[in-house]
Amino acid sequence: MREAVSIRKEARVSRVQEIAEQLRTLSGPELRELRAWLDEYENQLWEEQFGAEVAAGKWDALTERALKDHRDGKSTPL
C-alpha cells in the first residue's frame, strides 16, 4: 500500500511541475486571465463548501449565539 501512495504522490508532483512549466510560458494578459479564472474557481469551491456546512447545520450554534448577543444589545450597527 505504501508503494501505491508513493506512486500517486510522484504522479501528482510531476503533474504540478508540468503545469508550472507551462505557466512560465504565459504572456502577461494570459497570466492575468488565468489569475482571474483561479480566483473565481476558488470562490466557487468556497461557496460550495460553505453551503454544504450550512446545510449540515455546522454554523447553527454560532448563528444562534450571534442572534442572542444582538438581542441582548451586544452588537453595534455597521
Side-chain angles (χ1 to χ4, degrees), residues 3-69:
E3 184 177 320
V5 171
S6 176
I7 290 171
R8 274 184 258 145
K9 183 178 179 183
E10 288 175 16
R12 184 174 29 129
V13 169
S14 173
R15 189 170 170 207
V16 170
Q17 289 172 340
E18 193 175 302
I19 293 168
E21 288 174 21
Q22 292 180 7
L23 289 175
R24 288 185 187 96
T25 68
L26 295 178
S27 67
E30 290 171 324
L31 189 56
R32 284 188 291 279
E33 182 180 349
L34 175 62
R35 195 173 284 137
W37 181 87
L38 285 171
D39 286 344
E40 181 61 33
Y41 180 66
E42 187 175 24
N43 288 337
Q44 178 186 346
L45 292 178
W46 185 89
E47 287 180 17
E48 289 172 5
Q49 179 183 349
F50 183 69
E53 290 174 358
V54 168
K58 183 175 181 177
W59 295 95
D60 290 354
L62 185 60
T63 301
E64 286 304 316
R65 181 177 173 190
L67 290 171
K68 181 185 179 313
D69 285 349

